[in-house]
Amino acid sequence: MTTNTIRKAVFPIAGLGTRFLPATKASPKEMLTVVDKPLIQYAVEEAYAAGIRQMIFVTGRTKRSIEDHFDTAYELESELEAAGKTELLKVVHSIKPDDMQVVYVRQHRTLGLGHAVLCAKELVGHEAFAVLLADDLMVGEPTIMSQMVEQFQEWRASILAVQDVPREHTRRYGIVSGRQISDRLVEVSDIVEKPAPENAPSTLAVAGRYILTPGVFAEIEAQQQGVGGEIQLTDAIASLMRREKVFAYRYQGVRYDCGSKLGFLQATVDLGKRHPEFGTDFQEWLLNSASAQ
Ligand code: UTP
């Protein structure tokens, strides 16, 4: 590891999104739109705000619209330009700033999150990198990834974003436990994928943001299929912990599980209420419609 900053982010977007059927039958879950932006754009903007400039998408079938979203749309741009719609033109340009690079690699079979991350091995090389799961929409100031990069700069080790969850929900997450270093930081000594509440070592759950050292690739390669027949990133991190320190960071902010219909609705309402253009009108409408029922 030669750099003290994180330059590359991996976005595993090859999953099938079965929890969001029928919407995800032919279109990617990451293109589901919360208010006016697709989920993947929120995640890319979060990485960009953290100083990351190379975005690596691990894609699969039915994900073509994501590539189009981050490509130049000449026709649209020249029409907006001809019509003098400069504000809209700026919005379109901002999707992919000039100093941002987007690259794609295919995961040919959905063999799990660990396997998806492994697909980016050659593109990442020998440096620490970020992983962002776009279906976890994370809102924080500074952004969650910026907070994590700051932690990485201090500890030079893998950092997992974590949050406290109710014990009855442990089955939905990777759960960590370990030695408390400070209010927000735990040195991880145990990590388990989707434990039953009675077996969970704690209620500290891993959210969809990671900074990983390149050593994780060898650990993924050594993995057998784990829970659900998939190659789990959690199992690789558990092995990595035997060689290197791994930290869990309790981020400051809110996470919406937009891979689930309920989480997606919650994100839509919360972000809609905060929207600079129509947030106030939307709040008023919500109040009126609640009192009319
Ligand atoms: P999920 O566990 O949410 O799986 O994956 P999923 O297939 O996307 O959705 P459900 O559970 O069927 O509704 C977490 C992240 O890992 C990616 C997904 O795209 C998602 O961002 N992933 C998962 C891959 O890229 N490849 C895989 O083989 C599995």
Side-chain angles (χ1 to χ4, degrees):
M1 208 189 326
T2 50
T3 157
N4 191 28
T5 66
I6 301 296
R7 305 185 309 153
K8 301 182 182 184
V10 174
F11 299 84
I13 52 171
L16 300 175
T18 53
R19 281 173 298 152
F20 225 116
L21 282 167
T24 46
K25 179 165 179 266
S27 27
K29 135 172 106 172
E30 297 78 8
M31 285 301 283
L32 289 170
T33 298
V34 173
V35 186
D36 55 2
K37 266 189 273 186
L39 288 172
I40 187 68
Q41 193 180 333
Y42 285 98
V44 167
E45 286 178 359
E46 183 188 332
Y48 188 88
I52 296 169
R53 293 294 177 268
Q54 190 178 114
M55 313 299 173
I56 302 169
F57 290 175
V58 182
T59 76
R61 283 180 350 97
T62 78
K63 306 286 173 165
R64 283 281 297 280
S65 56
I66 297 178
E67 297 180 29
D68 291 342
H69 188 71
F70 289 94
D71 199 357
T72 312
Y74 289 110
E75 243 180 26
L76 175 65
E77 290 185 20
S78 50
E79 283 212 8
L80 291 174
E81 209 166 345
K85 295 185 173 169
T86 43
E87 283 310 308
L88 285 180
L89 194 59
K90 264 194 234 161
V91 168
V92 172
H93 272 153
S94 69
I95 297 173
K96 190 196 158 300
D98 290 339
D99 62 348
M100 186 173 105
Q101 195 195 359
V102 183
V103 288
Y104 300 91
V105 60
R106 277 252 176 166
Q107 185 190 24
H108 295 288
R109 288 178 60 205
T110 47
L111 294 177
L113 178 57
H115 180 261
V117 170
L118 184 61
C119 292
K121 180 183 170 190
E122 302 306 322
L123 291 167
V124 169
H126 299 285
E127 60 184 275
F129 62 103
V131 176
L132 294 93
L133 308 187
D135 50 353
D136 270 347
L137 199 167
M138 314 279 280
V139 180
E141 191 51 53
T143 67
I144 311 305
M145 188 46 71
S146 302
Q147 297 171 34
M148 293 176 70
V149 168
E150 200 183 314
Q151 293 297 319
F152 172 77
Q153 284 167 342
E154 185 172 349
W155 298 94
R156 305 288 301 264
S158 296
I159 315 272
L160 319 175
V162 292
Q163 66 174 117
D164 288 297
V165 295
R167 186 162 277 275
E168 61 270 25
H169 291 175
T170 56
R171 243 187 253 277
R172 302 179 192 173
Y173 300 94
I175 300 289
V176 303
S177 64
R179 184 169 69 92
Q180 194 84 30
I181 306 273
S182 67
D183 261 8
R184 298 206 166 271
L185 208 69
V186 168
E187 186 182 332
V188 183
S189 56
D190 196 9
I191 180 166
V192 204
E193 184 63 21
K194 300 187 170 69
E198 60 277 19
N199 300 330
S202 82
T203 53
L204 213 49
V206 179
R209 299 292 181 273
Y210 310 75
I211 288 178
L212 299 171
T213 58
V216 78
F217 292 122
E219 305 302 341
I220 302 172
E221 279 165 335
Q223 288 309 310
Q224 305 292 329
Q225 293 180 340
V227 176
E230 297 191 336
I231 296 177
Q232 300 286 350
L233 184 59
T234 304
D235 296 341
I237 294 172
S239 308
L240 185 68
M241 264 163 31
R242 291 188 213 117
R243 296 175 214 285
E244 298 176 9
K245 287 189 176 181
V246 173
F247 295 95
Y249 170 69
R250 265 196 187 86
Y251 58 85
Q252 275 177 288
V254 183
R255 162 186 169 272
Y256 300 95
D257 174 11
C258 291
S260 80
K261 294 174 185 177
L262 180 62
F264 180 82
L265 283 175
Q266 289 163 340
T268 304
V269 172
D270 276 359
L271 272 65
K273 286 197 313 198
R274 277 188 238 165
H275 196 278
E277 206 181 304
F278 51 75
T280 318
D281 289 349
F282 183 52
Q283 286 187 39
E284 204 176 301
W285 178 82
L286 280 173
L287 277 173
N288 290 340
S289 72
S291 55
Q293 277 162 20

